[in-house]
Amino acid sequence: GALVYQYPRRTICKSGTSMRMECQAVGFQATSVAWYRQSPQKTFELIALSTVNSAIKYEQNFTQEKFPISHPNLSFSSMTVLNAYLEDRGLYLCGASNTGTGDTGQLYFGEGSKLTVL
Amino acid sequence: GDSVTQTEGLVTVTEGLPVKLNCTYQTTYLTIAFFWYVQYLNEAPQVLLKSSTDNKRTEHQGFHATLHKSSSSFHLQKSSAQLSDSALYYCALSESSGSWQLIFGSGTQLTVMP
């Protein structure tokens, strides 16, 4: 089956430092990877959508300078939260999809990387 | 813009009774796919149901939903709630052709009481 492994599961970092998280897709080709932040109130915010061989599209209020993303192949993606502050707290989720199969929109999620900022 | 609305943030139901979680949407997309995701405590969201066909009932794990484009709805229902159904439920839509973006509702916390 299709699985997505995401790590680390949780990180505690000092204000102003950075956190990198990684996602590994197993059992399918992750042609698209969406990075979300789930707030403490449990709502989802889309940070960016990355599609192999296309430019990464960032949503409003999120920038490459703050959340650089790498998607070098069909099984791996990473995102870094640079200069993390309190407002960056939350659960960061990667959702991967093989858009080439026509199963558009069905994301396989990693288990999330919880960021706590002190 | 496009949006998904889940009117109830919290639904509590007694085990064995029916449950309905509401989902309505607004979209400018011509072709759309709908999903219900379920997120159990400390786990990743996972797809529970999906549909892109108007007026066709979709079922999985005892849950069912029917996309009604006439009323812009995709409500989730179950005839007999189980304790293990307690979780966060998200309704989401995506454009089902070309590049896509998954838009989530705000989520409904379902608690099933014994």
Side-chain angles (χ1 to χ4, degrees):
Chain A
L3 293 171
V4 174
Y5 295 102
Q6 184 173 350
Y7 36 86
R9 293 292 304 276
R10 49 182 55 86
T11 298
I12 301 173
C13 67
K14 291 183 178 179
S15 182
T17 62
S18 300
M19 171 198 178
R20 172 185 163 95
M21 57 202 82
E22 301 179 343
C23 276
Q24 185 83 36
V26 177
F28 71 106
Q29 293 184 325
T31 56
S32 291
V33 176
W35 286 92
Y36 290 87
R37 180 169 65 196
Q38 190 174 30
S39 69
Q41 293 75 34
K42 302 302 183 183
T43 56
F44 281 88
E45 292 178 281
L46 177 64
I47 297 170
L49 176 63
S50 173
T51 303
V52 170
N53 298 324
S54 296
I56 298 171
K57 180 184 174 187
Y58 285 84
E59 291 297 295
Q60 196 173 12
N61 300 325
F62 296 97
T63 65
Q64 182 181 3
E65 290 71 30
K66 173 72 174 178
F67 299 95
I69 290 170
S70 172
H71 188 185
N73 55 52
L74 294 174
S75 62
F76 181 82
S77 180
S78 68
M79 185 179 76
T80 302
V81 181
L82 295 175
N83 300 317
Y85 290 98
L86 279 177
E87 59 266 29
D88 297 318
R89 292 172 304 167
L91 181 68
Y92 289 83
L93 291 158
C94 68
S97 176
N98 186 346
T99 52
T101 64
D103 204 8
T104 305
Q106 178 164 344
L107 296 177
Y108 298 96
F109 281 97
E111 292 184 312
S113 298
K114 185 177 180 180
L115 174 60
T116 301
V117 182
L118 301 177
Chain B
D2 303 307
S3 64
V4 176
T5 301
Q6 293 179 249
T7 51
E8 308 100 352
L10 178 64
V11 171
T12 302
V13 66
T14 301
E15 184 181 16
L17 294 183
V19 61
K20 180 180 179 181
L21 306 184
N22 291 316
C23 174
T24 57
Y25 64 91
Q26 286 186 312
T27 181
T28 57
Y29 294 140
L30 293 178
T31 52
I32 49 177
F34 278 90
F35 301 84
W36 275 98
Y37 280 82
V38 57
Q39 185 176 20
Y40 298 103
L41 187 63
N42 297 323
E43 294 186 14
Q46 54 187 291
V47 169
L48 177 62
L49 289 174
K50 60 179 178 179
S51 176
S52 56
T53 305
D54 197 13
N55 297 317
K56 180 180 178 181
R57 177 174 164 137
T58 300
E59 299 188 34
H60 186 60
Q61 296 182 349
F63 286 92
H64 64 91
T66 303
L67 177 61
H68 290 298
K69 293 185 178 180
S70 61
S71 58
S72 300
S73 68
F74 190 55
H75 305 316
L76 181 68
Q77 300 183 67
K78 190 172 186 181
S79 58
S80 176
Q82 305 300 308
L83 294 175
S84 57
D85 294 330
S86 295
L88 261 173
Y89 291 81
Y90 293 94
C91 185
L93 72 83
S94 74
E95 180 190 16
S96 59
S97 64
S99 63
W100 60 271
Q101 178 177 339
L102 197 63
I103 299 171
F104 283 94
S106 55
T108 298
Q109 174 68 52
L110 173 64
T111 301
V112 181
M113 307 291 288

